[in-house]
Amino acid sequence: MPKPFKVQFTRALPTDAEIVEHDGKPHVRLREKGRTVLYPLTKGGRKYLRPSARWYFELRTPDGRRRRVKGFRDLRATEQRAAELERRAERGEVGLIDPHARRPLSEHLTDYAAHLEAKGDTAGHVKHTASRLTALFAGCGFTMIAELNAGKVAGRLNALRRGGEPVAVPPGELFAPAAVARLLGIGGASLPSAVRRMSLPPASGNGKARRYPRATVEALAAIRAKRCGPETVNHYVRAAKGFTRWLVRTGRLSANPFQTLTLVNAKADVRRGRRELTPHELRRLFAAARASAVSLRGLSGVDRAALYSLAAGTGFRVNALANLTPADFDFASGTVTLPARFNKSRKVKVQPLPPDVAAAVATYAAGRPAGEPLWGGTWAERAADMIRADLKTAGIPYAVPGPDGPRFADFHALRHSYLTMFGRSGVDLRTAQELAGHSSPVLTARYSHRNLADLTADAAKLTGFAAGTDPAGGGRLL
């Protein structure tokens, strides 16, 4: 085992130094922390040698060189650290070192994605997590897990948050999709959805003749130059720290290199705030969907009306709604049971149904296969696009001005509508937390406080809203 030692540093002699002989050599006598200490003088006698506070030891590397390693103030702890590193060095020389250290980072990311899938995470969450980690590590230049460094990641995330000048759009009035994607540095498959999401002029033509107008390209370049908002940065941080925690748990790393990464304040720069739909807007949305003859994302108008009413009446998220089957409902007791594998908390949840919602869904589910999802198809992948089309038909604005920027009524806004009704209905915070499925009452309180501050309507009287009728007769959602 390497023998620990202390490094000596030269210090100038005090003006009133007391020089004494010790073991036949000159020393300086000093008072430190209430006690007398002796330090040897240098050859010239003008300075003295002072030992370091920490212990050090040397290790021999595989190429034969010796490397000095800083230990601890405690000698015993330093000896243990030296023995551990010596064993690891010897194992590496004979090929016994952990094989994970020699695997490329991409293979670890693949294993991590498989771990998330086996854990029961949704396909969308796994996909987004993997893509964020891949993009982040590529931007930092990491190729092996030994290269993971919190400082580089923090620098990369800060660069993503800084705004910049939009890329210069070349001359011309029409641009091919591939050229636009290269100009913006995005994938070609994400370009059409970005244009729809931003309500920009769409491309004209078909096939190889498909072209985007200059106004659309310039708008996309300006949006791209805004870079990432703080909440997006937080998504990167959560993904990165989750990955390295998994590396430590599986023995691929001895310590978490991203332990010091922290989340940023997302409230200071809200890029995509959500709003609630009022009871009147909900009724208009249900009626517009029910009367629609257009199929969106595999769902007819009747399908969408039933889906929207259940989402607003239970607060369930997209993944939960996409996997509900008729067997999950107990219409006699007015409840729906969400299996643990489809619940964000991974716990079985029994949710009460408003009477009118229970009646509407019972009629809709009648005769359907018990084990098949009520709402199949691909709608869950583009739920925001689907509800946006029905909002437009109903004459309901998709985005409205807010104190921190525009607030949007995407599909998740149905859950927000459900939660804000608690405050108007006088539901206590503990009950609201249970119904919302939140891990902390602090999360639920955000909706209640916002409701009390921003909404001045009377208590929600929503009996009958699933059928699109006037709810003035009384009753509440809960």
Side-chain angles (χ1 to χ4, degrees):
M1 181 188 73
K3 185 177 180 179
F5 59 89
K6 287 196 173 185
V7 179
Q8 290 187 323
F9 301 94
T10 60
R11 295 288 186 268
L13 283 172
T15 56
D16 57 346
E18 180 185 0
I19 308 300
V20 298
E21 289 288 330
H22 179 69
D23 292 339
K25 295 181 180 179
H27 285 65
V28 60
R29 177 182 288 161
L30 302 176
R31 292 285 295 179
E32 293 182 352
K33 298 181 180 181
R35 63 189 183 92
T36 301
V37 292
L38 296 176
Y39 296 118
L41 300 184
T42 59
K43 289 185 178 181
R46 290 178 293 183
K47 295 183 179 182
Y48 69 95
L49 299 174
R50 185 186 187 93
S52 60
R54 289 176 175 266
W55 292 90
Y56 290 77
F57 58 91
E58 290 187 345
L59 283 179
R60 185 172 59 85
T61 60
D63 58 5
R65 293 181 296 178
R66 303 196 70 83
R67 180 169 63 94
R68 179 177 293 181
V69 181
K70 181 187 289 188
F72 307 98
R73 292 177 180 268
D74 181 70
L75 174 60
R76 179 61 177 166
T78 303
E79 290 175 340
Q80 293 174 349
R81 179 61 172 166
E84 176 191 356
L85 293 183
E86 184 181 46
R87 285 194 300 269
R88 291 172 59 180
E90 290 175 351
R91 291 172 61 196
E93 288 183 10
V94 297
L96 296 177
I97 199 166
D98 186 356
H100 294 303
R102 300 179 179 178
R103 297 174 60 196
L105 185 57
S106 58
E107 293 185 8
H108 294 286
L109 289 174
T110 301
D111 292 347
Y112 182 56
H115 160 73
L116 295 178
E117 291 178 357
K119 190 162 65 77
D121 289 5
T122 64
H125 172 71
V126 175
K127 177 182 177 182
H128 289 151
T129 300
S131 63
R132 287 177 182 131
L133 291 173
T134 300
L136 178 61
F137 295 160
C140 295
F142 298 150
T143 58
M144 307 292 286
I145 58 175
E147 299 171 351
L148 298 178
N149 179 275
K152 288 186 178 180
V153 170
R156 175 62 179 170
L157 294 179
N158 287 335
L160 291 177
R161 289 194 63 188
R162 289 194 298 267
E165 291 295 324
V167 295
V169 179
E173 295 300 322
L174 296 174
F175 299 86
V180 177
R182 285 196 302 270
L183 178 68
L184 301 176
I186 62 176
S190 62
L191 182 59
S193 61
V195 172
R196 289 195 305 270
R197 188 168 59 253
M198 304 301 173
S199 299
L200 299 175
S204 59
N206 297 309
K208 294 183 178 180
R210 191 172 181 81
R211 295 292 184 271
Y212 284 97
R214 183 177 187 85
T216 297
V217 179
E218 289 178 341
L220 290 173
I223 294 170
R224 184 72 172 169
K226 291 177 65 177
R227 312 297 284 180
C228 293
E231 188 57 41
T232 301
V233 170
N234 286 342
H235 286 316
Y236 280 107
V237 172
R238 294 186 188 102
K241 296 184 75 171
F243 174 61
T244 50
R245 282 196 300 268
W246 172 79
L247 290 175
V248 173
R249 287 198 306 269
T250 55
R252 305 182 186 211
L253 282 179
S254 59
N256 188 347
F258 295 158
Q259 188 64 41
T260 58
L261 290 178
T262 58
L263 301 178
V264 297
N265 182 12
K267 295 181 180 180
D269 182 13
V270 179
R271 297 293 181 90
R272 188 172 185 83
R274 289 190 176 93
R275 72 180 184 94
E276 309 81 16
L277 294 172
T278 66
H280 178 62
E281 288 176 326
L282 286 173
R283 292 192 298 273
R284 288 166 56 191
L285 173 64
F286 301 157
R290 189 178 296 107
S292 175
V294 179
S295 177
L296 296 176
R297 308 300 300 182
L299 300 182
S300 67
V302 174
D303 295 332
R304 300 195 301 277
L307 174 63
Y308 296 155
S309 65
L310 184 64
T314 61
F316 281 172
R317 299 175 177 87
V318 168
N319 182 60
L321 295 166
N323 289 281
L324 288 176
T325 68
D328 296 323
F329 292 85
D330 185 350
F331 297 113
S333 63
T335 61
V336 55
T337 300
L338 180 62
R341 64 184 183 280
F342 302 130
N343 192 6
K344 188 176 181 180
S345 67
R346 293 298 180 263
K347 298 178 181 178
V348 175
K349 182 174 179 60
V350 180
Q351 191 82 334
L353 295 171
D356 56 321
V357 175
V361 176
T363 301
Y364 173 77
R368 297 178 182 269
E372 295 294 327
L374 279 172
W375 294 280
T378 61
W379 70 271
E381 301 172 5
R382 292 288 185 271
D385 293 342
M386 181 181 70
I387 195 173
R388 186 173 185 175
D390 285 321
L391 288 171
K392 183 177 181 180
T393 302
I396 301 172
Y398 179 66
V400 297
D404 296 315
R407 294 169 60 189
F408 299 88
D410 56 12
F411 195 93
H412 202 72
L414 297 175
R415 174 174 168 82
H416 281 233
S417 304
Y418 173 73
L419 298 180
T420 53
M421 289 173 191
F422 295 146
R424 289 189 292 178
S425 301
V427 178
D428 65 274
L429 187 59
R430 182 65 185 86
T431 302
Q433 177 193 350
E434 181 67 23
L435 292 171
H438 285 150
S439 59
S440 167
V442 176
L443 299 176
T444 312
R446 291 188 310 177
Y447 298 93
S448 298
H449 293 330
R450 183 171 60 187
N451 175 65
L452 295 174
D454 298 343
L455 301 178
T456 58
D458 294 332
K461 295 177 172 56
L462 293 177
T463 297
F465 78 82
T469 58
D470 188 350
R476 299 189 310 194
L477 176 63
L478 302 172

